[in-house]
Amino acid sequence: MDELSVNAQSLVEYANLLKAISHPARLCIVKGLIKDGPSNVSNMHVCLELAQSTVSQHLAKLKAAGIIRGERNGTEIIYSIDNDFIAEIVGIMKD
């Protein structure tokens, strides 16, 4: 692969990550995980004032994009940031 192809692929990957956080609820989830640390869906849905099922759908999209990860702790799943690029980009945003 030449340098241009590698660069183009990186840009596509970055664009896909940015698309994944382009929804206000997903951006809020990511900002909350960066600011407050790992959390479960119950805590997030109260903070976001969205139905738990809606938050779960947004979490699934973020997880599929490789932005967050979930670790089972008994009956709940604790979500945390799993992407340094997104953590850095969102971390510099002002509240």
Side-chain angles (χ1 to χ4, degrees):
M1 249 184 186
D2 63 14
E3 187 176 327
L4 184 58
S5 296
V6 172
N7 189 32
Q9 182 60 32
S10 294
L11 292 175
V12 168
E13 290 171 11
Y14 288 144
N16 286 333
L17 287 170
L18 293 170
K19 280 187 226 177
I21 63 166
S22 67
H23 189 282
R26 290 193 291 273
L27 184 57
C28 185
I29 289 168
V30 171
K31 283 184 65 112
L33 290 174
I34 291 168
K35 181 181 174 195
D36 302 326
S39 184
N40 64 25
V41 69
S42 296
N43 290 338
M44 285 186 249
H45 100 87
V46 170
C47 175
L48 292 168
E49 298 180 0
L50 295 172
Q52 189 168 337
S53 61
T54 303
V55 174
S56 293
Q57 290 172 357
H58 287 298
L59 288 168
K61 289 183 182 186
L62 292 169
K63 191 173 177 186
I67 295 171
I68 63 170
R69 70 174 173 263
E71 294 182 24
R72 185 162 293 282
N73 183 11
T75 59
E76 66 183 5
I77 299 174
I78 305 298
Y79 294 94
S80 59
I81 298 296
D82 195 29
N83 187 292
D84 292 337
F85 170 73
I86 292 296
E88 186 174 342
I89 295 294
V90 175
I92 64 172
M93 295 176 145
K94 295 184 180 189
D95 289 334

